[in-house]
Amino acid sequence: MKQIICILDACSIINLIHIDEDDFLLKKLDEYIEYYLCETVFSEVCANVYTKIDKLRNEKKIKPEEAKERKKEIDITLSNFRQKQEKNSKIKTEFGADFFKTVKSLTNYPKNNGEFYSTALALYISRFKEINKKKFIGTKVFFHTDDYPAKEFFSSFFFEQQIGYIEDTADLLVLLYRLDETFTINQLDRYLSNLFSEYAPEVSGLHKRLQKIKSSLNLKLRRDKAFIKNLDKLIYKLSEFEFFEINEPIKFFSRNSKKYPNVYDAINHYSLVLDLQSNSTGLLEKIRKVRKEKDNVFRLGLAS
């Protein structure tokens, strides 16, 4: 019986879909892990999973027929994830109509998004013990998300409620590698590299756009010390793929969106970067570290 329970967030699912090769990762998930997603996450996946394909087609980096074929492949993959949904209505039936209100009160999380409902689902599974006629007694739940602000927000709740742990897609890849002897060290490195590439173009794109804005500033903005300080800090951190405290300049421009609309609009255009904000080690830094130390992953009885 599978003893590892994982809940997947929209960003992790979308990343898995785009970096997977011949459904290798999906097959490993099905084989080794009991995984679920909330219905809100599935809706978010359906709304955003094709964005990359459309962007590549619009930029003429892939042909229309290639884009169409890739979307068909994604549709097939989505059918697998659709079956893993846990409906809010079912949870309310089991735990009461006020269950989500209770979680909202316990967490004080301001949004009703996939991360919130995933956290509620994690609490539900950790307490209900049985889901889809499968009993899980004393098993910790792993919530995988690449949204680092949400990860940091909910970590204390997972600890306090003894739910389990919040990890990212890089952790999930290492877990699958550790569990399966056919998953080679070279494959792990390639998947980690592909995961990095899902975010790197967004970071580089925002960096270039901000540099362009800076090169054409008027005299008033060049004399605005607070503006220059935060713009320079943001540009530097993006250039280094460093996301520790990157939320400080981003919050500055969010608070002053009407005063500095060009920078604010640029940040929102590359909104994927917002998921990488971190008060510790960010996702891209994490991926670099895992790739560097991948040979140290111990697999009992298995050659790496």
Side-chain angles (χ1 to χ4, degrees), residues 52-100:
K52 178 182 178 180
I53 307 300
D54 291 334
K55 185 176 180 180
L56 291 172
R57 183 195 61 199
N58 293 335
E59 294 175 351
K60 297 182 179 180
K61 293 182 179 179
I62 60 173
K63 297 178 180 179
E65 53 269 26
E66 292 179 89
K68 186 177 181 180
E69 186 61 32
R70 180 59 182 136
K71 286 186 176 183
K72 286 182 180 179
E73 294 172 355
I74 291 174
D75 288 339
I76 295 172
T77 303
L78 285 179
S79 65
N80 290 284
F81 287 109
R82 183 181 288 108
Q83 298 171 20
K84 295 292 185 175
Q85 283 185 94
E86 288 299 318
K87 298 288 187 178
N88 291 345
S89 57
K90 176 186 176 183
I91 296 175
K92 287 181 179 180
T93 298
E94 301 291 350
F95 263 24
D98 293 331
F99 175 69
F100 292 107

Side-chain angles (χ1 to χ4, degrees), residues 29-254:
L29 272 173
D30 286 331
E31 185 175 356
Y32 293 104
I33 296 174
E34 198 69 40
Y35 68 96
Y36 303 96
L37 56 146
C38 64
E39 61 179 301
T40 303
V41 159
F42 186 72
S43 297
E44 291 177 354
V45 171
C46 291
N48 297 289
V49 71
Y50 306 107
T51 301
K52 178 182 178 180
I53 307 300
D54 291 334
K55 185 176 180 180
L56 291 172
R57 183 195 61 199
N58 293 335
E59 294 175 351
K60 297 182 179 180
K61 293 182 179 179
I62 60 173
K63 297 178 180 179
E65 53 269 26
E66 292 179 89
K68 186 177 181 180
E69 186 61 32
R70 180 59 182 136
K71 286 186 176 183
K72 286 182 180 179
E73 294 172 355
I74 291 174
D75 288 339
I76 295 172
T77 303
L78 285 179
S79 65
N80 290 284
F81 287 109
R82 183 181 288 108
Q83 298 171 20
K84 295 292 185 175
Q85 283 185 94
E86 288 299 318
K87 298 288 187 178
N88 291 345
S89 57
K90 176 186 176 183
I91 296 175
K92 287 181 179 180
T93 298
E94 301 291 350
F95 263 24
D98 293 331
F99 175 69
F100 292 107
K101 291 181 181 178
T102 300
V103 178
K104 177 70 70 172
S105 176
L106 289 170
T107 61
N108 291 314
Y109 191 64
K111 304 175 184 178
N112 290 314
N113 55 14
E115 288 77 25
F116 168 73
Y117 283 102
S118 293
T119 297
L121 176 58
L123 178 62
Y124 164 74
I125 292 176
S126 73
R127 297 301 191 268
F128 196 58
K129 310 296 186 188
E130 182 176 316
I131 187 167
N132 296 338
K133 297 182 179 180
K134 298 176 182 178
K135 292 184 178 180
F136 303 102
I137 299 176
T139 303
K140 297 285 188 176
V141 179
F142 292 84
F143 173 34
H144 289 275
T145 179
D146 292 338
D147 185 327
Y148 265 53
K151 178 182 177 183
E152 291 171 349
F153 186 94
F154 287 117
S155 288
S156 60
F157 181 72
F158 269 66
F159 175 77
E160 292 162 2
Q161 296 294 332
Q162 288 290 294
I163 296 170
Y165 311 94
I166 305 182
E167 297 187 340
D168 52 41
T169 306
D171 293 312
L172 182 58
L173 292 174
V174 174
L175 174 62
L176 292 174
Y177 164 75
R178 183 173 65 81
L179 294 173
D180 191 282
E181 61 181 347
T182 68
F183 199 146
T184 68
I185 195 76
N186 289 333
Q187 284 177 305
L188 175 61
D189 188 64
R190 185 166 66 252
Y191 283 125
L192 288 168
S193 176
N194 291 343
L195 179 61
F196 188 94
S197 297
E198 288 298 307
Y199 288 100
E202 290 285 312
V203 176
S204 297
L206 178 56
H207 178 257
K208 290 178 182 178
R209 184 159 169 178
L210 293 179
Q211 281 188 314
K212 186 175 181 180
I213 290 173
K214 184 179 179 180
S215 67
S216 58
L217 293 177
N218 58 39
L219 183 59
K220 182 180 179 181
L221 285 176
R222 288 201 298 270
R223 291 177 174 175
D224 187 330
K225 293 182 180 180
F227 171 81
I228 293 297
K229 176 184 176 182
N230 283 279
L231 180 62
D232 283 346
K233 184 174 184 178
L234 186 53
I235 288 174
Y236 171 75
K237 287 187 172 293
L238 291 169
S239 69
E240 296 295 316
F241 290 98
E242 179 186 319
F243 298 93
F244 177 67
E245 295 182 346
I246 197 173
N247 55 325
E248 291 182 4
I250 288 177
K251 285 181 178 180
F252 171 81
F253 289 113
S254 295

